[in-house]
Amino acid sequence: MITRLLVANRGEIARRILRTCRDLGIETVAVFSDVDADAPFVAEADLAVGLPGVTPADTYLRGDLIIAAALGAGADAVHPGYGFLSENAEFALRVHDAGLTWVGPSAEMIAAMGSKLAAKKLAIDAGVPTLSSRTLGPPSSGPASEAAPPTPARPVDAAPGAGDEAFFPVLIKADAGGGGRGMRIVHDPARLEAELAIARAEAAAAFGDAEVFVEPYVADGRHIEVQVLADTHGTVWTLGERECSLQRRHQKVIEETPSPFVTGTLRGQLAAASVGICRAIGYTGAGTVEFLVAPTGEFFFLEMNTRLQVEHPVTECVTGLDLVAWQLRIAEGAALPPEPPEPTGHAIEARLYAEDPARDWLPQAGALHRCEIPGIDARFAVPVGFGLRVDDAGADQVSVHYDPMLAKVVAWAPTREEAARRLASALAGAALHGLATNRDLLVRTLRHPEFLAGATDTGFFARHALTAAPEVDRLSVLAAALAAAARNRAGAPVLGGIPSGWRNVPSSQQVKVFVGHEVTYGLTRTGLAATHQGVDLSGVELVSATPDRVVLARDGLRHTFEVATYPGLVCVDSPLGAVTLVPVDRFPPPRAAHAAGSLLAPMPGTVVAVHVTAGQRLPAGALLLELEAMKMRFPVTADADGTLTALHVRVGDQVDTDTLLAVLEAHQ
């Protein structure tokens, strides 16, 4: 029996595992980096051990430190969660050799599926179709890894070269990882080598393994996965399929079960293929078999994840199971019942990220002042009956070193339509202050006619322009100005109850300026007169104004605006949409002025590659340097033809948002 479990992970998944352990009466140990010292998952564990450092390579990828922490804390088992070392066969073996129980499949099973290429060979032997066996050429040396070149016995697909245009487009994939890291679509053969280098670097940073391979890229297919659960007594369950086709950067954004595309016949075929693969290696524990399904219904094995998936809550909701609890029971030797439970209803999960879809999904880092989602029925657990579930990290800071996911929000309802409506409503009503998020994109997607019709293939986001920043509502800006006036008046020594701007006789109007917005307004006995960017806001009546709430009426309809003020930031929430404003000080402090052609860092990160030198003449689009953050690489390119007159950073430099990177003098 497991009595004390070390969770070898962080954030949301660590909290998820800790919750089940509390239910089962198992003591817990957390490990944490310097950045995570004050994170909620650390406080929620019974014991915690620090891992000195901030990067994954120095902390959560250090198996030796984690095993030492487990032994020092008196743990008798280790749960890896997902990501980091969860699919590292060597780590699983070392945990076992240290006398600890590994909560997951054996090291041998992880190794069998740890290489996507080897897993495809196993699937072929089991009679399951794969993309590589059908469309790529004969095995060859393939794209070599800079860190660990493949041995001659290792199956590697042939990588198309610049002369093999017929093979393109192709998808580069990390052999040892997932979650979108090390994945690149290449349409132009001339870009293959450069994209291979980036993919290898991302894979090495995320998984400690730089091996990558290529396969044909199938546009507009569907990413369908089957949840499996197998015990040590020979029982293998399949728990339905999950539709995971809505992705950005090859990382899932919205997942659901059951899939609106999968028929009963296809469901049976996918289940049979998944069981066949599990039996071929004697698999035990929780796992996920992933498939690419063509519009014709033809399917191809992609990979098997030998761990818990990020999207496991949707399966838990429709089955009523606690998959973490079953992982622990199977690790203790318990047997599954002969048949799995029948699913009930429909569940949809949205991943809420700190990122800006309007700026090519640029990740955000920094302070998260508020993250409140209305109507939550359960956290880290299946709601009683249908309802809304949230799994979140609960942190007030998003670090540049880790994934920027804030929360997983899951709606479980009797029908798909009801689940989509409940989830969209909860996200639309959420208060998210401090960082840009993908909330508006999620709401637009869940309410889109094609989504509601089940047209959720991998080309969905390419077909629909859903990433643009929403238009700022004029009444929301006016509400922010009136709330600021109320705050000023509340602090005044006299006449504290009268809104600022009120005049007994006609007078000059008050002016409030935010970045990109200017509001003028005046309050008299006859009412409110206001403009926004010169546009007359006629017919608007001020009902009430306090520093944190403003009620306005227009055309007989009352609108309530919740206003939150932070240093240098004002957030306005209402049914008209969330608005974030940056106040402009009347006497702003002097700021450093950048010369024309200055290229600034779009986000905090580390400079990991510099491809140019000062004095070079460069064409528009030329790659200047690369930043790494959130385990991903982001290119900085020339925005025009020009000469690089200055380069202000070098490899290894840490930069903040708007740090000056280089200066490019554009050619006339």
Side-chain angles (χ1 to χ4, degrees):
M1 297 293 291
I2 296 171
T3 60
R4 181 175 292 176
L5 177 82
L6 181 137
V7 181
N9 218 296
R10 64 177 298 279
E12 160 266 326
I13 185 57
R15 299 184 76 195
R16 165 71 187 87
I17 297 166
L18 294 173
R19 196 275 303 165
T20 289
C21 287
R22 286 194 296 272
D23 290 348
L24 297 179
I26 297 174
E27 294 182 348
T28 54
V29 182
V31 290
F32 60 92
S33 68
D34 293 344
V35 172
D36 286 334
D38 297 322
F41 77 91
V42 178
E44 290 168 3
D46 295 308
L47 301 169
V49 180
L51 304 175
V54 295
T55 68
D58 292 335
T59 55
Y60 299 108
L61 290 174
R62 285 288 302 273
D64 56 336
L65 298 182
I66 291 172
I67 291 172
L71 295 174
D76 50 21
V78 173
H79 194 305
Y82 55 70
F84 294 133
L85 295 171
S86 62
E87 293 179 282
N88 187 302
E90 181 183 355
F91 178 60
L93 181 61
R94 291 171 64 186
V95 168
H96 179 270
D97 290 346
L100 302 168
T101 296
W102 170 256
V103 181
S106 68
E108 292 77 16
M109 298 170 194
I110 295 173
M113 288 297 174
S115 162
K116 293 183 177 67
L117 294 172
K120 286 185 177 185
K121 175 64 167 57
L122 189 149
I124 292 170
D125 293 342
V128 179
T130 71
L131 277 173
S132 58
S133 64
R134 291 186 168 216
T135 53
L136 287 186
S140 70
S141 59
S145 165
E146 298 171 351
T151 63
R154 190 176 187 183
V156 180
D157 292 309
D164 299 319
E165 285 81 359
F167 283 97
F168 288 84
V170 296
L171 180 62
I172 303 171
K173 300 179 76 172
D175 189 43
R181 273 76 180 191
M183 295 183 72
R184 297 269 163 171
I185 300 173
V186 185
H187 294 274
D188 182 359
R191 287 289 305 161
L192 181 62
E193 288 303 320
E195 296 294 342
L196 281 170
I198 294 173
R200 288 174 181 138
E202 287 182 352
F207 315 112
D209 186 343
E211 184 67 33
V212 298
F213 67 98
V214 296
E215 67 184 18
Y217 175 65
V218 179
D220 302 336
R222 287 176 181 261
H223 189 120
I224 305 292
E225 60 188 31
V226 176
Q227 175 71 58
V228 298
L229 197 62
D231 63 21
T232 57
H233 306 277
T235 300
V236 180
W237 280 0
T238 59
L239 298 171
E241 81 286 343
R242 294 187 289 253
E243 170 85 56
C244 306
S245 302
L246 297 188
Q247 304 179 9
R248 59 94 177 98
R249 289 203 186 100
H250 313 293
Q251 191 168 39
K252 301 158 189 172
V253 177
I254 293 178
E255 303 102 337
E256 59 181 309
T257 187
S259 165
F261 179 79
V262 173
T263 63
T265 299
L266 179 57
R267 182 171 294 116
Q269 294 171 338
L270 294 172
S274 300
V275 171
I277 289 172
C278 288
R279 293 203 182 282
I281 60 172
Y283 192 78
T284 59
T288 303
V289 186
E290 303 200 1
F291 300 91
L292 181 66
V293 180
T296 60
E298 187 178 16
F299 64 89
F300 308 94
F301 169 80
L302 291 177
E303 61 183 295
M304 181 175 184
N305 291 313
T306 54
R307 54 170 169 79
L308 203 64
Q309 291 281 91
V310 177
E311 58 272 20
H312 75 274
V314 294
T315 297
E316 291 188 324
C317 284
V318 300
T319 62
L321 297 171
D322 183 330
L323 292 177
V324 174
W326 272 111
Q327 284 184 297
L328 295 167
R329 293 181 188 121
I330 289 170
E332 293 176 329
L336 290 165
E339 298 294 332
E342 287 293 323
T344 301
H346 198 102
I348 306 176
E349 173 181 294
R351 301 191 192 186
L352 185 63
Y353 283 103
E355 64 184 13
D356 190 347
R359 299 176 63 196
D360 196 24
W361 312 92
L362 191 69
Q364 307 290 296
L368 182 65
H369 300 300
R370 189 177 179 189
C371 182
E372 295 181 5
I373 300 168
I376 297 173
D377 298 296
R379 289 186 181 273
F380 307 102
V382 177
V384 178
F386 300 109
L388 190 74
R389 167 177 172 169
V390 171
D391 292 17
D392 65 319
D396 56 7
Q397 289 283 331
V398 176
S399 169
V400 70
H401 298 290
Y402 310 117
D403 188 274
M405 187 171 71
L406 303 177
K408 302 182 309 195
V409 188
V410 184
W412 175 39
T415 67
R416 184 173 186 268
E417 292 75 14
E418 290 174 278
R421 183 171 59 192
R422 175 71 186 274
L423 183 53
S425 177
L427 290 167
L432 306 170
H433 299 168
L435 296 172
T437 74
N438 66 337
R439 179 258 302 277
D440 291 312
L441 172 111
L442 296 173
V443 173
R444 291 173 187 159
T445 299
L446 292 163
R447 290 174 174 170
H448 196 280
E450 271 201 30
F451 177 87
L452 295 174
T456 53
D457 57 70
T458 55
F460 182 88
F461 287 134
R463 287 195 304 274
H464 305 295
L466 302 177
T467 60
E471 292 187 11
V472 175
D473 175 71
R474 297 183 188 277
L475 290 186
S476 298
V477 184
L478 175 59
L482 294 171
R487 183 173 294 102
N488 293 337
R489 178 59 61 185
V494 295
L495 301 178
I498 301 176
S500 176
W502 190 92
R503 297 292 185 271
N504 189 44
V505 295
S507 179
S508 60
Q509 291 188 311
Q510 301 290 297
V511 179
K512 181 65 177 177
V513 181
F514 303 95
V515 174
H517 303 276
E518 181 175 299
V519 174
T520 63
Y521 66 93
L523 299 170
T524 71
R525 289 177 175 175
T526 59
L528 171 67
T531 65
H532 171 256
Q533 300 296 87
V535 176
D536 183 30
L537 300 180
S538 58
V540 178
E541 176 190 354
L542 173 61
V543 178
S544 64
T546 68
D548 54 14
R549 175 176 291 185
V550 174
V551 180
L552 300 174
R554 182 168 60 181
D555 299 328
L557 294 176
R558 283 194 176 190
H559 302 275
T560 300
F561 302 86
E562 304 292 338
V563 183
T565 303
Y566 307 97
L569 195 69
V570 177
C571 299
V572 184
D573 294 302
S574 79
L576 298 177
V579 171
T580 299
L581 301 167
V582 177
V584 175
D585 293 336
R586 294 181 63 188
F587 305 103
R591 297 182 61 185
H594 295 296
S598 295
L599 299 175
L600 308 180
M603 60 182 297
T606 303
V607 179
V608 293
V610 176
H611 301 283
V612 294
T613 58
Q616 272 188 264
R617 293 174 63 90
L618 300 167
L623 180 62
L624 307 182
L625 53 89
E626 296 170 65
L627 298 176
E628 185 173 275
M630 280 89 170
K631 297 181 282 185
M632 300 286 285
R633 285 202 172 194
F634 300 89
V636 176
T637 59
D639 54 8
D641 295 342
T643 299
L644 193 72
T645 59
L647 184 64
H648 291 274
V649 293
R650 58 186 178 182
V651 173
D653 284 354
Q654 300 284 328
V655 299
D656 293 321
T657 301
D658 293 335
T659 295
L660 179 62
L661 303 175
V663 178
L664 184 72
E665 182 179 311
H667 295 161
Q668 300 299 323

